[in-house]
Amino acid sequence: MPEQSPLEPAEGDPFGPHNLPYGVFSTPAEPDRRRLGVRIGDHVLDAGAAAHALGSPYSALLDRPSLDPLMGAGRTAWRDVRRALTAWVTVPAHRPAIEPLLYPLDTVTLHLPYEVADYVDFYASEHHATNVGRIFRPDGAALTPNWKHLPIGYHGRAGTVVVSGTEVRRPSGQRRAPTDAAPAFGPSVKLDIEAEVGFVVGTPSRQGDPVPLTSFRDHVFGLSLLNDWSARDIQAWEYVPLGPFLGKSFATSVSAWVTPLEALDAARVAPPARTEPLLPYLDDADDEEPGGFDLRISVALNGEVISEPPFSTMYWTAAQQLAHMTVNGASLRTGDLFASGTVSGADRAQRGSLLELTWNGTEPLELGSGKRAFLADGDVVTLTAWAPGPDGTRVGLGEVTGRIAAA
Amino acid sequence: MPEQSPLEPAEGDPFGPHNLPYGVFSTPAEPDRRRLGVRIGDHVLDAGAAAHALGSPYSALLDRPSLDPLMGAGRTAWRDVRRALTAWVTVPAHRPAIEPLLYPLDTVTLHLPYEVADYVDFYASEHHATNVGRIFRPDGAALTPNWKHLPIGYHGRAGTVVVSGTEVRRPSGQRRAPTDAAPAFGPSVKLDIEAEVGFVVGTPSRQGDPVPLTSFRDHVFGLSLLNDWSARDIQAWEYVPLGPFLGKSFATSVSAWVTPLEALDAARVAPPARTEPLLPYLDDADDEEPGGFDLRISVALNGEVISEPPFSTMYWTAAQQLAHMTVNGASLRTGDLFASGTVSGADRAQRGSLLELTWNGTEPLELGSGKRAFLADGDVVTLTAWAPGPDGTRVGLGEVTGRIAAA
């Protein structure tokens, strides 16, 4: 029986030719040479080498150490390059040229695929915002008065976004419980995760020019799974009145693979019904394309699934977030990353943070690896996700994983 | 009488050879060629060309279109390059080589001198925080309980930092007064300024490694004057619970000149006495070098001085801000910019924002250009500043100016 070609992943493989996410990799033979790659099954194709081998006009975009040039090339280039890549991995005549340019995933090192320009984190799940409001502000309304009128967001630290697999050191900082006389300093005792989906901007925009809802596809290149590590004790003491800062800025992990928007065409769904009228720049009721994405996220702690947040329940869509973020004239740059905020569904088993899953530590999880209110040193958190693809396939999103190192 | 050399600015010129701030410029003859320049009096020296002309080993740092390579070269290089530049503009034997490389300032275009990596805005003036607290939260304590324990800060949008002289379009957005039934959309009606001082990071740090108070000079390259334009109506509606976002992200203006830290050695002063004990990582009581800077800022609206905020009154120092920003292990990158927050003194005539100067519009300013609660279209705001230099000189900081364009 002839050996199976890496170009023929098994039936049902979520990284088949209908997916083709982008990443940046290096090989043990040339560890300092970063190359743009495309994932097919359990292999990565050296996209620049493939372009040269096949005499493709896209070698200038693909023979690069970063995804940035392709991201900045615009929507038409994104479509054309994806068509070319699809042909390269599916047309049998290309096999002799392509197969030698494939590397098994477990032999390569994956890097942050793009340079993060500005990083914005939203707060778009009604279930999450309601849970957090109940926990942090038990005497007030769970949702602030603005929540249903605009997608609340804030800027995070772009310089500490790291690729999946990077170890995360437990942060130290100030905390002060309401009963403490003075703040104390030390390693965070409430280290948490936030299961999120990140959207990566390709096409920039000019300062002063808002990007309307309908231009979402012209600017957004693709999706990264994202874990916005959070130190709840640091955050609770610092965040009034100017928002989260050190409780979030120590690390944000993203998947090594960027899923092109086009791969998720079959996963578009309508967002939940809006319960407050929206101002015109946010009103997507008549949009031809539904703004939500049916992504099924899974959160594993030390290998045990602790939550399955459904992205389809997000109140605010990525297109609304983009329109809001730019309505004041703020410009976009290639590499801008904006994240959904924690994805939490209505059920307890769908909550995307330990804060919610353990109700601020009062209801610890009983796991094979022990009891957990928040993260312990050595814990490994892994997010995975998939979405419906064309013709009954599944589109896999790259995983994002990280291990907690002691302070 | 022989013509005065541009290398001999008038006695008392705040841009004499004791200052030598850095900028990036282009000439009308070569508008697309950006060059690193050093200001002397009313001229700019092409620093790269000077390095070549004099056979300097620093041409690799100076013959560049950006200040980034020099900023990233570290403290020893900063000192050595500054010594070399001082010799080039003061030693008479260099004049024949140097004078042809000087351009009158009014003939060149100045550009953003460095690429902003992450932008953080602090809130370090006790007078400002107290005023804002009284205006926005009249029923609560003016200062939040954390204010005297940590320098409150948040991340801003790096991609919309613009160089002095860039026109600022009035932003549109949502606002909702407490008496409004629903939010409204439109151009901001409370467009404001914030007079601030920005500190620019040169030397990066590793993720996981805090930068202590005493390492301030190893990491911070210099200072930029900064105007953090603010739409108060947008900000007031959006900022709970995650902090300012669109009310600030449309534009932040910085001076075209970066003043090297060394030029301000004579301006170091002790900060105000601390009224709460500080945790060790923020406690600067025993530091050899005082953490404050005696900078005298002037705010002009359409040419009329409306405020003179004294930077020496800032409660939190830049060294404390740097130590706080990294104590959780957040890394620094070359080009990180952190700003002081609005500089306001104790007196009304020392307030650094219109919000405070007009008490949220209730006490408008009567100016030659008309009555102002907040900024009108066409208004020009210019910040300037100086500090005591060596031997009775004054060190000028570059101005930051901007004109408001209609929405």
Side-chain angles (χ1 to χ4, degrees), chain A residues 307-325:
Chain A
S307 178
E308 294 186 309
F311 193 72
S312 59
T313 62
M314 300 300 276
Y315 192 86
W316 295 103
T317 71
Q320 288 174 318
Q321 291 165 348
L322 189 72
H324 184 63
M325 187 163 62

Side-chain angles (χ1 to χ4, degrees), chain A residues 30 59 280 378:
Chain A
E30 294 180 278
S59 57

Side-chain angles (χ1 to χ4, degrees), chain A residues 327-373:
Chain A
V327 75
N328 67 346
S331 49
L332 299 174
R333 290 182 293 171
T334 299
D336 279 349
L337 171 66
F338 63 101
S340 59
T342 308
V343 184
S344 290
D347 298 341
R348 180 179 167 147
Q350 296 180 324
R351 296 174 183 166
S353 69
L354 289 170
L355 176 74
E356 296 163 87
L357 285 164
T358 72
W359 212 253
N360 200 15
T362 58
E363 303 167 17
L365 298 178
E366 303 281 354
L367 303 174
S369 49
K371 193 187 277 196
R372 286 290 183 287

Side-chain angles (χ1 to χ4, degrees), chain B residues 22 33 64 71 120 150 184 193 212 238 368:
Chain B
Y22 295 97
R33 183 175 155 222
R64 294 294 194 112
M71 284 177 16
V120 167
L150 54 83
I193 59 159
E238 76 178 356

Side-chain angles (χ1 to χ4, degrees), chain A residues 115-123 137 144-147 149-162 169-174 176 181-185 207-210 234-235 237-252 279-282 324-333 336, chain B residues 115-123 137 144-147 149-162 169-174 176 181-185 206-209 234-235 237-252 279-282 324-333 336:
Chain A
E115 187 179 353
V116 180
D118 270 301
Y119 167 47
V120 167
D121 193 26
F122 282 94
Y123 193 53
R137 295 176 292 274
T144 50
N146 52 7
W147 202 91
H149 296 281
L150 54 83
I152 292 174
Y154 67 100
H155 285 90
R157 192 162 186 83
T160 50
V161 175
V162 296
R169 178 99 47 96
R170 179 182 298 273
S172 292
Q174 290 195 29
R176 182 181 181 179
F185 181 86
Q207 202 157 347
D209 293 349
I234 296 173
Q235 183 185 351
W237 168 233
E238 75 178 355
Y239 90 106
V240 175
L242 300 185
F245 185 35
L246 298 187
K248 303 277 194 170
S249 65
F250 58 97
T252 303
L279 286 163
Y281 79 96
L282 291 172
H324 184 63
M325 187 163 62
T326 60
V327 75
N328 67 346
S331 49
L332 299 174
R333 290 182 293 171
D336 279 349
Chain B
E115 186 180 352
V116 181
D118 270 301
Y119 167 48
V120 167
D121 194 24
F122 283 94
Y123 192 52
R137 294 176 292 276
T144 50
N146 52 7
W147 201 92
H149 296 281
L150 54 83
I152 293 174
Y154 66 101
H155 285 90
R157 193 163 186 82
T160 51
V161 175
V162 296
R169 178 98 48 95
R170 179 182 298 274
S172 291
Q174 289 195 30
R176 181 181 181 179
F185 182 86
R206 282 202 317 185
Q207 203 157 347
D209 293 348
I234 296 173
Q235 182 185 351
W237 168 232
E238 76 178 356
Y239 90 105
V240 175
L242 300 186
F245 185 35
L246 298 187
K248 304 277 197 169
S249 65
F250 57 97
T252 303
L279 286 164
Y281 79 96
L282 290 173
H324 184 63
M325 186 164 63
T326 60
V327 76
N328 67 346
S331 49
L332 299 174
R333 291 182 292 170
D336 280 348

Side-chain angles (χ1 to χ4, degrees), chain A residues 124-199:
Chain A
S125 159
E126 183 173 1
H127 303 297
H128 170 70
T130 302
N131 289 334
V132 171
R134 285 188 183 140
I135 291 168
F136 279 149
R137 295 176 292 274
D139 302 328
L143 293 183
T144 50
N146 52 7
W147 202 91
K148 291 274 176 105
H149 296 281
L150 54 83
I152 292 174
Y154 67 100
H155 285 90
R157 192 162 186 83
T160 50
V161 175
V162 296
V163 72
S164 175
T166 306
E167 195 170 67
V168 173
R169 178 99 47 96
R170 179 182 298 273
S172 292
Q174 290 195 29
R175 59 173 171 274
R176 182 181 181 179
T179 51
D180 293 345
F185 181 86
S188 170
V189 296
K190 289 190 173 181
L191 186 54
D192 198 0
I193 60 161
E194 295 199 327
E196 307 197 16
V197 175
F199 292 80

Side-chain angles (χ1 to χ4, degrees), chain B residues 3-21:
Chain B
E3 200 180 342
Q4 178 83 4
S5 167
L7 291 173
E8 287 182 346
E11 174 102 11
D13 190 311
F15 295 96
H18 59 291
N19 188 343
L20 301 183

